[in-house]
Structures are given as structure tokens and as C-alpha cells.
Amino acid sequence: MIILGVILLIIGFVTGISVLWTIGIVLAVIGLILWVLGAVGHEVAGRRHYW
């Protein structure tokens, strides 16, 4: 999810499409939150790790 967010950020920046930029930011932030929760030991969606 983090990688997809970064890819959308890059595509949105290069093409100037603000919708892709916004979606990329949202996906990157959600991915980072899930990654941090998984790293500190919280189960995410019933799994012990996010990946």
C-alpha cells in the first residue's frame, strides 16, 4: 500500500493530476499507519503482521 501510494504520488506529480496526488497521499499515510501498528505488535485485520 505504501509503494502504491508513492507510485501514485509520482504519477500525479508528473502528469499534474491532483486526484492521483491526493489518493497517493491517503494510501501512503494509511500504509504507514498499518505498518507502524504491525511493527509495535498490534494485530492488523486479525494478523500478527501487516505483510
Side-chain angles (χ1 to χ4, degrees):
M1 190 175 289
I2 298 170
I3 295 172
L4 179 63
V6 171
I7 290 171
L8 287 176
L9 279 171
I10 293 170
I11 293 173
F13 179 74
V14 170
T15 60
I17 302 173
S18 62
V19 174
L20 289 179
W21 181 259
T22 305
I23 294 171
I25 290 173
V26 170
L27 285 178
V29 168
I30 291 173
L32 285 172
I33 290 171
L34 291 175
W35 178 58
V36 168
L37 285 175
V40 296
H42 293 280
E43 293 183 6
V44 178
R47 298 187 176 146
R48 295 193 186 275
H49 299 288
Y50 170 58
W51 65 91

